[in-house]
């Protein structure tokens, strides 16, 4: 039986999950091979900490692949603040198209906002906030952002190119909405369950930037700064996972397992 996870290897193995709507990225904590292959899941499994959620999950290795070398998300994740600071010095269209390559240009069947959470979840609160807020501020500073609506232009760096089958354009208002949602949800991960609020935890200058950026937004996003947000449960964060099939493939009940691909 597979038991507790081992510490991550010194050189972390990054994977792109072909399961879940919109796919998801994570870091392999451990690999395990079952004594007998299962007719559906196979024999090889990986315990993955997905970027957007801190609870490890088992996945059949047949549903995992390596991100491409050109992948923009992986490059930003490795050097987030310098990458964003360089980008926002360019044109609004460049910023929108780059953001769309990560979260998709239109709101569709998958939740592109969760990718912004994943991009910065491993960073300290101050740094992660600065990354996403810098993008959001830049787009809101240009009144033409909301009117931008152009076909996507692919360059091979997309998080998941198939996203664009369901929403082939880059829409400025959708891109900023996903950034907004990603930033506020990131705060729930960063301080969920902690005896503080985001406003109390952020340095004063960054807190004031966030207050200015969210002024006048839908439902007044400034309120998120003063909430003690609660981290989502596994059931809220994922579809298509559970422990019902663990024993079938030789896994214990400590971590849930991905049960298929069509979620």
């Amino acid at each position: 039986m597979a038991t507790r996870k081992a510490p991550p290897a010194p050189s972390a193995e990054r994977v792109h999950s072909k399961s879940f709507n919109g796919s998801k990225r994570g870091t392999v904590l451990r690999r395990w091979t079952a004594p007998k292959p299962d007719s559906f899941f196979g024999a090889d499994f990986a315990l993955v900490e997905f970027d957007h959620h801190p609870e490890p999950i088992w996945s059949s290795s047949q549903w995992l692949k390596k991100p491409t070398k050109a992948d923009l998300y992986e490059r930003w994740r490795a050097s987030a603040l310098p990458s964003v600071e360089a980008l926002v010095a360019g044109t609004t269209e460049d910023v929108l198209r780059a953001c769309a390559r990560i979260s998709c240009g239109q709101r569709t069947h998958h939740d592109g906002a969760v990718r912004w959470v994943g991009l910065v979840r491993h960073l300290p609160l101050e740094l992660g906030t600065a990354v996403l807020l810098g993008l959001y501020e830049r787009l809101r500073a240009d009144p033409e952002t909301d009117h931008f609506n152009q076909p996507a232009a692919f360059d091979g760096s997309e998080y998941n190119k198939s996203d664009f089958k369901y929403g082939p354009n880059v829409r400025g208002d959708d891109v900023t909405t996903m950034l907004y949602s990603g930033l506020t949800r990131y705060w729930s991960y960063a301080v969920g369950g902690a005896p503080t609020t985001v406003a109390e935890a952020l340095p004063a200058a960054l807190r004031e930037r966030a207050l200015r950026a969210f002024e006048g937004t839908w439902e007044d996003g400034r309120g998120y700064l003063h909430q003690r947000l609660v981290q989502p449960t596994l059931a809220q964060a994922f579809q298509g996972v559970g422990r019902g099939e663990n024993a079938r493939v030789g896994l214990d009940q400590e971590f849930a397992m991905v049960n298929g691909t069509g979620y």
Side-chain angles (χ1 to χ4, degrees):
M1 298 284 282
T3 54
R4 291 189 173 274
K5 67 181 182 183
S11 179
E13 180 187 358
R14 297 285 297 162
V15 289
H16 175 100
S17 172
K18 294 183 285 184
S19 187
F20 307 111
N21 277 348
S23 303
K24 289 182 171 64
R25 297 289 173 80
T27 300
V28 173
L29 302 177
R30 180 154 58 98
R31 289 203 177 258
W32 180 73
T33 300
K36 181 180 178 181
D38 181 82
S39 59
F40 180 69
F41 295 103
D44 296 320
F45 296 84
L47 186 63
V48 181
E49 183 175 86
F50 287 98
D51 292 356
H52 77 294
H53 195 268
E55 185 172 338
I57 299 173
W58 285 105
S59 171
S60 170
S61 295
Q62 66 190 357
W63 300 329
L64 302 173
K65 64 179 183 179
K66 292 183 178 181
T68 66
K69 291 182 178 180
D71 188 88
L72 183 62
Y73 176 93
E74 294 295 322
R75 285 187 277 130
W76 278 16
R77 186 178 181 274
S79 183
L81 191 58
S83 297
V84 166
E85 287 178 338
L87 176 66
V88 298
T91 67
T92 299
E93 179 171 353
D94 287 344
V95 179
L96 284 169
R97 290 193 179 281
C99 289
R101 290 184 175 104
I102 290 175
S103 64
C104 192
Q106 293 180 246
R107 284 175 286 181
T108 59
H109 68 292
H110 73 79
D111 186 3
V114 79
R115 297 175 187 172
W116 295 119
V117 177
L119 184 78
V120 297
R121 188 181 67 80
H122 63 297
L123 300 175
L125 176 64
E126 179 179 352
L127 181 54
T129 298
V131 169
L132 299 187
L133 185 60
L135 289 168
Y136 186 72
E137 288 172 322
R138 173 64 182 81
L139 292 177
R140 289 207 73 203
D142 187 343
E144 293 304 312
T145 292
D146 287 348
H147 304 296
F148 190 87
N149 186 1
Q150 296 292 330
F154 303 118
D155 67 0
S157 69
E158 291 78 22
Y159 185 104
N160 193 29
K161 187 176 178 180
S162 63
D163 292 341
F164 293 90
K165 291 189 299 184
Y166 307 98
N169 278 14
V170 175
R171 293 176 50 94
D173 54 349
D174 282 355
V175 171
T176 53
T177 295
M178 285 186 277
L179 273 168
Y180 173 97
S181 181
L183 177 54
T184 55
R185 270 190 273 179
Y186 164 64
W187 286 337
S188 78
Y189 283 86
V191 302
T196 186
T197 65
V198 179
E200 292 165 344
L202 287 177
L206 194 56
R207 180 175 64 246
E208 291 305 313
R209 279 178 57 191
L211 286 168
R212 288 193 300 271
F214 282 176
E215 184 175 3
T217 54
W218 182 69
E219 291 190 341
D220 197 343
R222 292 174 297 180
Y224 286 100
L225 286 157
H226 302 289
Q227 294 181 15
R228 289 178 173 84
L229 300 176
V230 179
Q231 202 164 268
T233 65
L234 179 65
Q236 291 170 326
F238 286 94
Q239 294 182 33
V241 299
R243 292 173 170 80
E245 305 293 339
N246 285 32
R248 165 179 165 176
V249 299
L251 296 170
D252 64 20
Q253 297 294 305
E254 182 176 8
F255 300 114
M257 182 176 72
V258 178
N259 295 143
T261 58
Y263 304 101

